[in-house]
PDB file of all heavy atoms in Angstrom:
ATOM      1  N   LEU O   1     179.450 126.925 138.476  1.00 80.00           N
ATOM      2  CA  LEU O   1     178.835 127.132 139.801  1.00 80.00           C
ATOM      3  C   LEU O   1     178.027 125.894 140.202  1.00 80.00           C
ATOM      4  O   LEU O   1     178.129 125.371 141.322  1.00 80.00           O
ATOM      5  CB  LEU O   1     177.928 128.343 139.788  1.00 80.00           C
ATOM      6  CG  LEU O   1     177.119 128.593 141.052  1.00 80.00           C
ATOM      7  CD1 LEU O   1     178.030 128.931 142.229  1.00 80.00           C
ATOM      8  CD2 LEU O   1     176.102 129.709 140.825  1.00 80.00           C
ATOM      9  N   MET O   2     177.256 125.388 139.237  1.00 82.00           N
ATOM     10  CA  MET O   2     176.399 124.214 139.512  1.00 82.00           C
ATOM     11  C   MET O   2     177.231 122.987 139.855  1.00 82.00           C
ATOM     12  O   MET O   2     176.974 122.303 140.855  1.00 82.00           O
ATOM     13  CB  MET O   2     175.541 123.971 138.265  1.00 82.00           C
ATOM     14  CG  MET O   2     174.402 122.993 138.466  1.00 82.00           C
ATOM     15  SD  MET O   2     173.341 123.038 137.010  1.00 82.00           S
ATOM     16  CE  MET O   2     172.181 121.733 137.421  1.00 82.00           C
ATOM     17  N   GLU O   3     178.244 122.727 139.055  1.00 76.00           N
ATOM     18  CA  GLU O   3     179.101 121.559 139.276  1.00 76.00           C
ATOM     19  C   GLU O   3     179.945 121.727 140.529  1.00 76.00           C
ATOM     20  O   GLU O   3     180.163 120.784 141.288  1.00 76.00           O
ATOM     21  CB  GLU O   3     179.983 121.320 138.039  1.00 76.00           C
ATOM     22  CG  GLU O   3     179.224 120.977 136.762  1.00 76.00           C
ATOM     23  CD  GLU O   3     178.550 119.622 136.798  1.00 76.00           C
ATOM     24  OE1 GLU O   3     178.787 118.878 137.762  1.00 76.00           O
ATOM     25  OE2 GLU O   3     177.793 119.323 135.877  1.00 76.00           O
ATOM     26  N   GLY O   4     180.421 122.954 140.756  1.00 74.00           N
ATOM     27  CA  GLY O   4     181.271 123.173 141.906  1.00 74.00           C
ATOM     28  C   GLY O   4     180.519 122.970 143.208  1.00 74.00           C
ATOM     29  O   GLY O   4     181.012 122.334 144.143  1.00 74.00           O
ATOM     30  N   LEU O   5     179.321 123.534 143.319  1.00 80.00           N
ATOM     31  CA  LEU O   5     178.527 123.369 144.541  1.00 80.00           C
ATOM     32  C   LEU O   5     178.055 121.914 144.686  1.00 80.00           C
ATOM     33  O   LEU O   5     177.885 121.434 145.829  1.00 80.00           O
ATOM     34  CB  LEU O   5     177.344 124.319 144.529  1.00 80.00           C
ATOM     35  CG  LEU O   5     177.718 125.807 144.679  1.00 80.00           C
ATOM     36  CD1 LEU O   5     176.470 126.682 144.667  1.00 80.00           C
ATOM     37  CD2 LEU O   5     178.531 126.042 145.938  1.00 80.00           C
ATOM     38  N   SER O   6     177.834 121.231 143.598  1.00 78.00           N
ATOM     39  CA  SER O   6     177.513 119.812 143.670  1.00 78.00           C
ATOM     40  C   SER O   6     178.684 119.060 144.307  1.00 78.00           C
ATOM     41  O   SER O   6     178.485 118.116 145.098  1.00 78.00           O
ATOM     42  CB  SER O   6     177.213 119.235 142.283  1.00 78.00           C
ATOM     43  OG  SER O   6     177.066 117.839 142.318  1.00 78.00           O
ATOM     44  N   GLY O   7     179.885 119.478 143.978  1.00 76.00           N
ATOM     45  CA  GLY O   7     181.059 118.852 144.602  1.00 76.00           C
ATOM     46  C   GLY O   7     181.098 119.088 146.095  1.00 76.00           C
ATOM     47  O   GLY O   7     181.548 118.208 146.837  1.00 76.00           O
ATOM     48  N   VAL O   8     180.627 120.260 146.546  1.00 81.00           N
ATOM     49  CA  VAL O   8     180.535 120.483 147.989  1.00 81.00           C
ATOM     50  C   VAL O   8     179.606 119.462 148.635  1.00 81.00           C
ATOM     51  O   VAL O   8     179.897 118.918 149.726  1.00 81.00           O
ATOM     52  CB  VAL O   8     180.033 121.918 148.275  1.00 81.00           C
ATOM     53  CG1 VAL O   8     179.792 122.127 149.769  1.00 81.00           C
ATOM     54  CG2 VAL O   8     181.034 122.960 147.776  1.00 81.00           C
ATOM     55  N   GLY O   9     178.498 119.185 147.947  1.00 83.00           N
ATOM     56  CA  GLY O   9     177.571 118.156 148.436  1.00 83.00           C
ATOM     57  C   GLY O   9     178.242 116.799 148.482  1.00 83.00           C
ATOM     58  O   GLY O   9     178.051 116.030 149.437  1.00 83.00           O
ATOM     59  N   MET O  10     179.052 116.464 147.484  1.00 81.00           N
ATOM     60  CA  MET O  10     179.735 115.189 147.461  1.00 81.00           C
ATOM     61  C   MET O  10     180.761 115.099 148.595  1.00 81.00           C
ATOM     62  O   MET O  10     180.938 114.024 149.197  1.00 81.00           O
ATOM     63  CB  MET O  10     180.424 114.981 146.104  1.00 81.00           C
ATOM     64  CG  MET O  10     179.454 114.799 144.959  1.00 81.00           C
ATOM     65  SD  MET O  10     180.286 114.578 143.360  1.00 81.00           S
ATOM     66  CE  MET O  10     181.057 112.988 143.608  1.00 81.00           C
ATOM     67  N   ILE O  11     181.411 116.216 148.846  1.00 81.00           N
ATOM     68  CA  ILE O  11     182.366 116.223 149.990  1.00 81.00           C
ATOM     69  C   ILE O  11     181.625 115.921 151.293  1.00 81.00           C
ATOM     70  O   ILE O  11     182.078 115.092 152.103  1.00 81.00           O
ATOM     71  CB  ILE O  11     183.075 117.597 150.075  1.00 81.00           C
ATOM     72  CG1 ILE O  11     183.988 117.786 148.886  1.00 81.00           C
ATOM     73  CG2 ILE O  11     183.862 117.699 151.377  1.00 81.00           C
ATOM     74  CD1 ILE O  11     184.582 119.186 148.796  1.00 81.00           C
ATOM     75  N   ALA O  12     180.485 116.570 151.491  1.00 84.00           N
ATOM     76  CA  ALA O  12     179.699 116.345 152.694  1.00 84.00           C
ATOM     77  C   ALA O  12     179.245 114.908 152.785  1.00 84.00           C
ATOM     78  O   ALA O  12     179.321 114.278 153.860  1.00 84.00           O
ATOM     79  CB  ALA O  12     178.512 117.295 152.719  1.00 84.00           C
ATOM     80  N   GLY O  13     178.787 114.339 151.661  1.00 84.00           N
ATOM     81  CA  GLY O  13     178.325 112.973 151.686  1.00 84.00           C
ATOM     82  C   GLY O  13     179.479 111.994 151.960  1.00 84.00           C
ATOM     83  O   GLY O  13     179.299 111.021 152.707  1.00 84.00           O
ATOM     84  N   GLY O  14     180.644 112.241 151.350  1.00 78.00           N
ATOM     85  CA  GLY O  14     181.774 111.354 151.583  1.00 78.00           C
ATOM     86  C   GLY O  14     182.268 111.407 153.020  1.00 78.00           C
ATOM     87  O   GLY O  14     182.582 110.380 153.620  1.00 78.00           O
ATOM     88  N   LEU O  15     182.351 112.632 153.592  1.00 81.00           N
ATOM     89  CA  LEU O  15     182.794 112.753 154.960  1.00 81.00           C
ATOM     90  C   LEU O  15     181.797 112.144 155.924  1.00 81.00           C
ATOM     91  O   LEU O  15     182.173 111.552 156.958  1.00 81.00           O
ATOM     92  CB  LEU O  15     183.013 114.241 155.301  1.00 81.00           C
ATOM     93  CG  LEU O  15     184.188 114.928 154.642  1.00 81.00           C
ATOM     94  CD1 LEU O  15     184.218 116.415 154.988  1.00 81.00           C
ATOM     95  CD2 LEU O  15     185.507 114.259 155.045  1.00 81.00           C
ATOM     96  N   LEU O  16     180.502 112.226 155.589  1.00 83.00           N
ATOM     97  CA  LEU O  16     179.479 111.628 156.444  1.00 83.00           C
ATOM     98  C   LEU O  16     179.607 110.115 156.471  1.00 83.00           C
ATOM     99  O   LEU O  16     179.468 109.467 157.494  1.00 83.00           O
ATOM    100  CB  LEU O  16     178.078 112.058 155.958  1.00 83.00           C
ATOM    101  CG  LEU O  16     176.919 111.787 156.913  1.00 83.00           C
ATOM    102  CD1 LEU O  16     177.143 112.524 158.251  1.00 83.00           C
ATOM    103  CD2 LEU O  16     175.616 112.219 156.282  1.00 83.00           C
ATOM    104  N   VAL O  17     179.914 109.538 155.301  1.00 78.00           N
ATOM    105  CA  VAL O  17     180.126 108.075 155.227  1.00 78.00           C
ATOM    106  C   VAL O  17     181.335 107.691 156.052  1.00 78.00           C
ATOM    107  O   VAL O  17     181.322 106.716 156.820  1.00 78.00           O
ATOM    108  CB  VAL O  17     180.306 107.599 153.777  1.00 78.00           C
ATOM    109  CG1 VAL O  17     180.773 106.170 153.737  1.00 78.00           C
ATOM    110  CG2 VAL O  17     178.980 107.735 153.026  1.00 78.00           C
ATOM    111  N   ALA O  18     182.426 108.462 155.923  1.00 74.00           N
ATOM    112  CA  ALA O  18     183.634 108.142 156.647  1.00 74.00           C
ATOM    113  C   ALA O  18     183.390 108.230 158.162  1.00 74.00           C
ATOM    114  O   ALA O  18     183.985 107.483 158.946  1.00 74.00           O
ATOM    115  CB  ALA O  18     184.766 109.085 156.246  1.00 74.00           C
ATOM    116  N   ALA O  19     182.545 109.163 158.574  1.00 77.00           N
ATOM    117  CA  ALA O  19     182.272 109.340 160.008  1.00 77.00           C
ATOM    118  C   ALA O  19     181.310 108.290 160.527  1.00 77.00           C
ATOM    119  O   ALA O  19     181.507 107.751 161.651  1.00 77.00           O
ATOM    120  CB  ALA O  19     181.724 110.730 160.276  1.00 77.00           C
ATOM    121  N   LEU O  20     180.261 107.991 159.776  1.00 76.00           N
ATOM    122  CA  LEU O  20     179.186 107.089 160.274  1.00 76.00           C
ATOM    123  C   LEU O  20     179.468 105.622 160.016  1.00 76.00           C
ATOM    124  O   LEU O  20     179.009 104.764 160.769  1.00 76.00           O
ATOM    125  CB  LEU O  20     177.838 107.492 159.664  1.00 76.00           C
ATOM    126  CG  LEU O  20     177.319 108.889 159.977  1.00 76.00           C
ATOM    127  CD1 LEU O  20     175.993 109.106 159.281  1.00 76.00           C
ATOM    128  CD2 LEU O  20     177.180 109.071 161.474  1.00 76.00           C
ATOM    129  N   ASN O  21     180.207 105.322 158.896  1.00 73.00           N
ATOM    130  CA  ASN O  21     180.487 103.921 158.560  1.00 73.00           C
ATOM    131  C   ASN O  21     179.199 103.081 158.588  1.00 73.00           C
ATOM    132  O   ASN O  21     179.026 102.225 159.476  1.00 73.00           O
ATOM    133  CB  ASN O  21     181.550 103.353 159.516  1.00 73.00           C
ATOM    134  CG  ASN O  21     182.117 102.030 159.023  1.00 73.00           C
ATOM    135  OD1 ASN O  21     181.894 101.632 157.880  1.00 73.00           O
ATOM    136  ND2 ASN O  21     182.847 101.348 159.887  1.00 73.00           N
ATOM    137  N   PRO O  22     178.270 103.306 157.654  1.00 76.00           N
ATOM    138  CA  PRO O  22     176.961 102.653 157.705  1.00 76.00           C
ATOM    139  C   PRO O  22     177.016 101.141 157.890  1.00 76.00           C
ATOM    140  O   PRO O  22     177.830 100.454 157.232  1.00 76.00           O
ATOM    141  CB  PRO O  22     176.347 103.024 156.349  1.00 76.00           C
ATOM    142  CG  PRO O  22     177.050 104.255 155.916  1.00 76.00           C
ATOM    143  CD  PRO O  22     178.428 104.114 156.436  1.00 76.00           C
ATOM    144  N   LYS O  23     176.160 100.607 158.734  1.00 77.00           N
ATOM    145  CA  LYS O  23     176.160  99.179 159.039  1.00 77.00           C
ATOM    146  C   LYS O  23     175.278  98.384 158.079  1.00 77.00           C
ATOM    147  O   LYS O  23     175.358  97.149 158.038  1.00 77.00           O
ATOM    148  CB  LYS O  23     175.670  98.955 160.484  1.00 77.00           C
ATOM    149  CG  LYS O  23     176.477  99.706 161.538  1.00 77.00           C
ATOM    150  CD  LYS O  23     177.963  99.379 161.474  1.00 77.00           C
ATOM    151  CE  LYS O  23     178.726 100.128 162.546  1.00 77.00           C
ATOM    152  NZ  LYS O  23     180.214  99.923 162.420  1.00 77.00           N
ATOM    153  N   ARG O  24     174.419  99.042 157.317  1.00 84.00           N
ATOM    154  CA  ARG O  24     173.561  98.380 156.338  1.00 84.00           C
ATOM    155  C   ARG O  24     173.943  98.948 154.961  1.00 84.00           C
ATOM    156  O   ARG O  24     173.235  99.791 154.403  1.00 84.00           O
ATOM    157  CB  ARG O  24     172.094  98.637 156.627  1.00 84.00           C
ATOM    158  CG  ARG O  24     171.588  98.096 157.949  1.00 84.00           C
ATOM    159  CD  ARG O  24     171.600  96.556 157.985  1.00 84.00           C
ATOM    160  NE  ARG O  24     170.887  95.990 156.852  1.00 84.00           N
ATOM    161  CZ  ARG O  24     169.557  95.793 156.869  1.00 84.00           C
ATOM    162  NH1 ARG O  24     168.840  96.166 157.904  1.00 84.00           N
ATOM    163  NH2 ARG O  24     168.988  95.224 155.804  1.00 84.00           N
ATOM    164  N   PRO O  25     175.070  98.510 154.391  1.00 84.00           N
ATOM    165  CA  PRO O  25     175.563  99.161 153.167  1.00 84.00           C
ATOM    166  C   PRO O  25     174.629  99.073 151.976  1.00 84.00           C
ATOM    167  O   PRO O  25     174.488 100.019 151.233  1.00 84.00           O
ATOM    168  CB  PRO O  25     176.907  98.420 152.920  1.00 84.00           C
ATOM    169  CG  PRO O  25     176.811  97.156 153.681  1.00 84.00           C
ATOM    170  CD  PRO O  25     175.946  97.438 154.879  1.00 84.00           C
ATOM    171  N   ILE O  26     174.007  97.920 151.755  1.00 88.00           N
ATOM    172  CA  ILE O  26     173.157  97.775 150.584  1.00 88.00           C
ATOM    173  C   ILE O  26     171.888  98.625 150.708  1.00 88.00           C
ATOM    174  O   ILE O  26     171.486  99.287 149.751  1.00 88.00           O
ATOM    175  CB  ILE O  26     172.777  96.300 150.336  1.00 88.00           C
ATOM    176  CG1 ILE O  26     174.049  95.493 150.038  1.00 88.00           C
ATOM    177  CG2 ILE O  26     171.806  96.163 149.178  1.00 88.00           C
ATOM    178  CD1 ILE O  26     174.818  95.964 148.817  1.00 88.00           C
ATOM    179  N   VAL O  27     171.288  98.650 151.878  1.00 89.00           N
ATOM    180  CA  VAL O  27     170.158  99.516 152.124  1.00 89.00           C
ATOM    181  C   VAL O  27     170.538 100.969 151.894  1.00 89.00           C
ATOM    182  O   VAL O  27     169.806 101.751 151.278  1.00 89.00           O
ATOM    183  CB  VAL O  27     169.601  99.312 153.549  1.00 89.00           C
ATOM    184  CG1 VAL O  27     168.562 100.375 153.875  1.00 89.00           C
ATOM    185  CG2 VAL O  27     169.003  97.920 153.672  1.00 89.00           C
ATOM    186  N   THR O  28     171.717 101.342 152.370  1.00 89.00           N
ATOM    187  CA  THR O  28     172.225 102.698 152.186  1.00 89.00           C
ATOM    188  C   THR O  28     172.409 103.021 150.712  1.00 89.00           C
ATOM    189  O   THR O  28     172.031 104.093 150.245  1.00 89.00           O
ATOM    190  CB  THR O  28     173.549 102.881 152.941  1.00 89.00           C
ATOM    191  OG1 THR O  28     173.365 102.617 154.307  1.00 89.00           O
ATOM    192  CG2 THR O  28     174.068 104.291 152.768  1.00 89.00           C
ATOM    193  N   VAL O  29     172.971 102.093 149.969  1.00 89.00           N
ATOM    194  CA  VAL O  29     173.189 102.276 148.543  1.00 89.00           C
ATOM    195  C   VAL O  29     171.869 102.513 147.827  1.00 89.00           C
ATOM    196  O   VAL O  29     171.716 103.491 147.057  1.00 89.00           O
ATOM    197  CB  VAL O  29     173.906 101.045 147.915  1.00 89.00           C
ATOM    198  CG1 VAL O  29     173.868 101.115 146.413  1.00 89.00           C
ATOM    199  CG2 VAL O  29     175.337 100.990 148.421  1.00 89.00           C
ATOM    200  N   LEU O  30     170.888 101.676 148.062  1.00 92.00           N
ATOM    201  CA  LEU O  30     169.585 101.766 147.349  1.00 92.00           C
ATOM    202  C   LEU O  30     168.865 103.076 147.669  1.00 92.00           C
ATOM    203  O   LEU O  30     168.371 103.746 146.741  1.00 92.00           O
ATOM    204  CB  LEU O  30     168.712 100.559 147.684  1.00 92.00           C
ATOM    205  CG  LEU O  30     169.251  99.197 147.245  1.00 92.00           C
ATOM    206  CD1 LEU O  30     168.303  98.090 147.692  1.00 92.00           C
ATOM    207  CD2 LEU O  30     169.437  99.157 145.724  1.00 92.00           C
ATOM    208  N   LEU O  31     168.777 103.441 148.927  1.00 93.00           N
ATOM    209  CA  LEU O  31     168.070 104.624 149.314  1.00 93.00           C
ATOM    210  C   LEU O  31     168.780 105.900 148.842  1.00 93.00           C
ATOM    211  O   LEU O  31     168.160 106.835 148.312  1.00 93.00           O
ATOM    212  CB  LEU O  31     167.860 104.672 150.830  1.00 93.00           C
ATOM    213  CG  LEU O  31     166.889 103.660 151.435  1.00 93.00           C
ATOM    214  CD1 LEU O  31     166.864 103.758 152.928  1.00 93.00           C
ATOM    215  CD2 LEU O  31     165.482 103.898 150.853  1.00 93.00           C
ATOM    216  N   ALA O  32     170.098 105.933 149.041  1.00 92.00           N
ATOM    217  CA  ALA O  32     170.844 107.141 148.693  1.00 92.00           C
ATOM    218  C   ALA O  32     170.874 107.386 147.181  1.00 92.00           C
ATOM    219  O   ALA O  32     170.680 108.502 146.707  1.00 92.00           O
ATOM    220  CB  ALA O  32     172.237 107.061 149.233  1.00 92.00           C
ATOM    221  N   LEU O  33     171.080 106.309 146.424  1.00 92.00           N
ATOM    222  CA  LEU O  33     171.125 106.482 144.968  1.00 92.00           C
ATOM    223  C   LEU O  33     169.728 106.828 144.414  1.00 92.00           C
ATOM    224  O   LEU O  33     169.620 107.580 143.452  1.00 92.00           O
ATOM    225  CB  LEU O  33     171.659 105.208 144.288  1.00 92.00           C
ATOM    226  CG  LEU O  33     173.136 104.912 144.570  1.00 92.00           C
ATOM    227  CD1 LEU O  33     173.593 103.715 143.720  1.00 92.00           C
ATOM    228  CD2 LEU O  33     174.036 106.106 144.284  1.00 92.00           C
ATOM    229  N   ALA O  34     168.660 106.275 145.022  1.00 93.00           N
ATOM    230  CA  ALA O  34     167.292 106.641 144.584  1.00 93.00           C
ATOM    231  C   ALA O  34     167.069 108.142 144.813  1.00 93.00           C
ATOM    232  O   ALA O  34     166.515 108.832 143.961  1.00 93.00           O
ATOM    233  CB  ALA O  34     166.267 105.815 145.355  1.00 93.00           C
ATOM    234  N   ALA O  35     167.488 108.649 145.974  1.00 93.00           N
ATOM    235  CA  ALA O  35     167.338 110.071 146.249  1.00 93.00           C
ATOM    236  C   ALA O  35     168.151 110.920 145.281  1.00 93.00           C
ATOM    237  O   ALA O  35     167.705 111.961 144.802  1.00 93.00           O
ATOM    238  CB  ALA O  35     167.764 110.374 147.691  1.00 93.00           C
ATOM    239  N   SER O  36     169.383 110.443 144.951  1.00 91.00           N
ATOM    240  CA  SER O  36     170.228 111.178 144.024  1.00 91.00           C
ATOM    241  C   SER O  36     169.588 111.269 142.653  1.00 91.00           C
ATOM    242  O   SER O  36     169.593 112.318 142.016  1.00 91.00           O
ATOM    243  CB  SER O  36     171.597 110.500 143.929  1.00 91.00           C
ATOM    244  OG  SER O  36     172.438 111.190 143.051  1.00 91.00           O
ATOM    245  N   CYS O  37     169.009 110.177 142.169  1.00 91.00           N
ATOM    246  CA  CYS O  37     168.363 110.151 140.868  1.00 91.00           C
ATOM    247  C   CYS O  37     167.129 111.030 140.833  1.00 91.00           C
ATOM    248  O   CYS O  37     166.861 111.751 139.859  1.00 91.00           O
ATOM    249  CB  CYS O  37     168.020 108.718 140.471  1.00 91.00           C
ATOM    250  SG  CYS O  37     169.440 107.639 140.178  1.00 91.00           S
ATOM    251  N   LEU O  38     166.333 110.972 141.912  1.00 92.00           N
ATOM    252  CA  LEU O  38     165.109 111.769 141.919  1.00 92.00           C
ATOM    253  C   LEU O  38     165.393 113.257 141.899  1.00 92.00           C
ATOM    254  O   LEU O  38     164.705 114.038 141.222  1.00 92.00           O
ATOM    255  CB  LEU O  38     164.301 111.447 143.186  1.00 92.00           C
ATOM    256  CG  LEU O  38     162.943 112.131 143.317  1.00 92.00           C
ATOM    257  CD1 LEU O  38     162.029 111.740 142.149  1.00 92.00           C
ATOM    258  CD2 LEU O  38     162.267 111.756 144.627  1.00 92.00           C
ATOM    259  N   THR O  39     166.462 113.701 142.568  1.00 92.00           N
ATOM    260  CA  THR O  39     166.801 115.102 142.554  1.00 92.00           C
ATOM    261  C   THR O  39     167.339 115.566 141.227  1.00 92.00           C
ATOM    262  O   THR O  39     167.341 116.747 140.909  1.00 92.00           O
ATOM    263  CB  THR O  39     167.793 115.448 143.686  1.00 92.00           C
ATOM    264  OG1 THR O  39     168.875 114.501 143.643  1.00 92.00           O
ATOM    265  CG2 THR O  39     167.118 115.398 145.040  1.00 92.00           C
ATOM    266  N   VAL O  40     167.830 114.633 140.392  1.00 89.00           N
ATOM    267  CA  VAL O  40     168.185 114.963 139.033  1.00 89.00           C
ATOM    268  C   VAL O  40     166.969 115.465 138.258  1.00 89.00           C
ATOM    269  O   VAL O  40     167.005 116.455 137.548  1.00 89.00           O
ATOM    270  CB  VAL O  40     168.828 113.737 138.301  1.00 89.00           C
ATOM    271  CG1 VAL O  40     168.901 113.983 136.797  1.00 89.00           C
ATOM    272  CG2 VAL O  40     170.240 113.493 138.832  1.00 89.00           C
ATOM    273  N   ALA O  41     165.843 114.761 138.418  1.00 90.00           N
ATOM    274  CA  ALA O  41     164.585 115.180 137.786  1.00 90.00           C
ATOM    275  C   ALA O  41     164.136 116.538 138.311  1.00 90.00           C
ATOM    276  O   ALA O  41     163.705 117.399 137.538  1.00 90.00           O
ATOM    277  CB  ALA O  41     163.512 114.113 138.010  1.00 90.00           C
ATOM    278  N   LEU O  42     164.242 116.720 139.635  1.00 92.00           N
ATOM    279  CA  LEU O  42     163.801 117.998 140.228  1.00 92.00           C
ATOM    280  C   LEU O  42     164.638 119.155 139.737  1.00 92.00           C
ATOM    281  O   LEU O  42     164.161 120.287 139.628  1.00 92.00           O
ATOM    282  CB  LEU O  42     163.867 117.887 141.765  1.00 92.00           C
ATOM    283  CG  LEU O  42     162.880 116.883 142.400  1.00 92.00           C
ATOM    284  CD1 LEU O  42     163.138 116.763 143.881  1.00 92.00           C
ATOM    285  CD2 LEU O  42     161.446 117.318 142.131  1.00 92.00           C
ATOM    286  N   THR O  43     165.909 118.889 139.418  1.00 89.00           N
ATOM    287  CA  THR O  43     166.791 119.955 138.896  1.00 89.00           C
ATOM    288  C   THR O  43     166.207 120.551 137.617  1.00 89.00           C
ATOM    289  O   THR O  43     166.141 121.766 137.456  1.00 89.00           O
ATOM    290  CB  THR O  43     168.186 119.397 138.630  1.00 89.00           C
ATOM    291  OG1 THR O  43     168.763 118.917 139.854  1.00 89.00           O
ATOM    292  CG2 THR O  43     169.106 120.462 138.034  1.00 89.00           C
ATOM    293  N   ALA O  44     165.776 119.681 136.714  1.00 88.00           N
ATOM    294  CA  ALA O  44     165.257 120.160 135.442  1.00 88.00           C
ATOM    295  C   ALA O  44     163.862 120.758 135.561  1.00 88.00           C
ATOM    296  O   ALA O  44     163.447 121.527 134.674  1.00 88.00           O
ATOM    297  CB  ALA O  44     165.233 118.999 134.423  1.00 88.00           C
ATOM    298  N   LEU O  45     163.138 120.435 136.618  1.00 88.00           N
ATOM    299  CA  LEU O  45     161.782 120.971 136.798  1.00 88.00           C
ATOM    300  C   LEU O  45     161.789 122.378 137.377  1.00 88.00           C
ATOM    301  O   LEU O  45     160.755 123.043 137.458  1.00 88.00           O
ATOM    302  CB  LEU O  45     160.986 120.039 137.741  1.00 88.00           C
ATOM    303  CG  LEU O  45     160.572 118.681 137.141  1.00 88.00           C
ATOM    304  CD1 LEU O  45     159.904 117.819 138.187  1.00 88.00           C
ATOM    305  CD2 LEU O  45     159.665 118.903 135.927  1.00 88.00           C
ATOM    306  N   ALA O  46     162.940 122.881 137.816  1.00 88.00           N
ATOM    307  CA  ALA O  46     163.029 124.240 138.305  1.00 88.00           C
ATOM    308  C   ALA O  46     162.713 125.238 137.187  1.00 88.00           C
ATOM    309  O   ALA O  46     163.144 125.047 136.046  1.00 88.00           O
ATOM    310  CB  ALA O  46     164.416 124.514 138.853  1.00 88.00           C
ATOM    311  N   PRO O  47     161.931 126.273 137.487  1.00 88.00           N
ATOM    312  CA  PRO O  47     161.600 127.267 136.420  1.00 88.00           C
ATOM    313  C   PRO O  47     162.874 127.933 135.895  1.00 88.00           C
ATOM    314  O   PRO O  47     163.897 127.988 136.579  1.00 88.00           O
ATOM    315  CB  PRO O  47     160.751 128.281 137.183  1.00 88.00           C
ATOM    316  CG  PRO O  47     160.194 127.534 138.362  1.00 88.00           C
ATOM    317  CD  PRO O  47     161.261 126.543 138.742  1.00 88.00           C
ATOM    318  N   ALA O  48     162.778 128.466 134.657  1.00 86.00           N
ATOM    319  CA  ALA O  48     163.944 129.001 134.008  1.00 86.00           C
ATOM    320  C   ALA O  48     164.581 130.144 134.777  1.00 86.00           C
ATOM    321  O   ALA O  48     165.808 130.375 134.706  1.00 86.00           O
ATOM    322  CB  ALA O  48     163.557 129.483 132.612  1.00 86.00           C
TER     323      ALA O  48
END
């Protein structure tokens, strides 16, 4: 369930890139990957 719904998020992110075609690719890479990594930490901080 966790991995499958994460894939839904990846689909949304990929389609959004295809639609928007970001004009500042490096800025997009740094900000988006930072957000992705931070939410990894938040995943483990969720109560049992």
Side-chain angles (χ1 to χ4, degrees):
L1 174 66
M2 191 170 176
E3 297 291 353
L5 291 180
S6 173
V8 173
M10 292 179 68
I11 292 172
L15 290 175
L16 194 59
V17 170
L20 297 180
N21 193 11
K23 305 304 181 185
R24 298 293 306 276
I26 297 301
V27 171
T28 301
V29 168
L30 296 177
L31 289 177
L33 292 186
S36 181
C37 293
L38 184 60
T39 49
V40 166
L42 294 174
T43 298
L45 289 174

